[in-house]
Amino acid sequence: MAKDKKLTKSNDRVLSGVLGGVSEYFDLDASLVRLIFAAATIFTGFFPFVFIYIVAVLIMPDSPNTHQYKYRFDEDAEEKRRDVTPDEDDQI
């Protein structure tokens, strides 16, 4: 049985992940999809494809494996940096 594919935003994002999601859904190179979209947008007078893109941003769900990046101060690493003192030979 074929794998169930769902059209979702990609983690490979430039703006919102819509075109990355389309490229993953159709197994195409993301750069190629972005290039085709940019050319189609320019040659059609911007409005139709920009409108479609905005609608897709609002409608397409995020990828289920979207990573939430959390920045955390590593206290242990800071302590290790403080503990390292230069040797007398290392000083200029």
Side-chain angles (χ1 to χ4, degrees):
M1 182 164 212
K3 179 173 104 172
D4 291 332
K5 285 185 168 182
K6 292 187 178 184
L7 182 60
T8 60
K9 293 178 188 172
S10 174
N11 291 328
D12 179 18
R13 296 175 178 219
V14 172
L15 289 177
S16 66
V18 170
L19 297 178
V22 170
S23 68
E24 289 174 1
Y25 184 79
F26 290 110
D27 292 324
L28 298 171
D29 182 36
S31 298
L32 178 65
V33 172
R34 291 179 182 121
L35 184 65
I36 291 170
F37 183 82
T41 301
I42 290 169
F43 292 124
T44 60
F46 290 93
F47 178 73
F49 283 95
V50 172
F51 179 73
I52 291 169
Y53 189 87
I54 292 170
V55 169
V57 167
L58 298 173
I59 292 176
M60 284 176 65
D62 285 329
S63 176
N65 57 357
T66 300
H67 301 290
Q68 296 295 326
Y69 296 104
K70 294 182 181 179
Y71 296 100
R72 179 171 95 59
F73 182 71
D74 190 0
E75 295 172 4
D76 295 333
E78 183 63 28
E79 286 181 24
K80 290 175 187 174
R81 274 189 289 248
R82 275 189 249 137
D83 291 342
V84 175
T85 56
D87 295 334
E88 292 177 13
D89 296 333
D90 294 337
Q91 295 179 358
I92 299 175

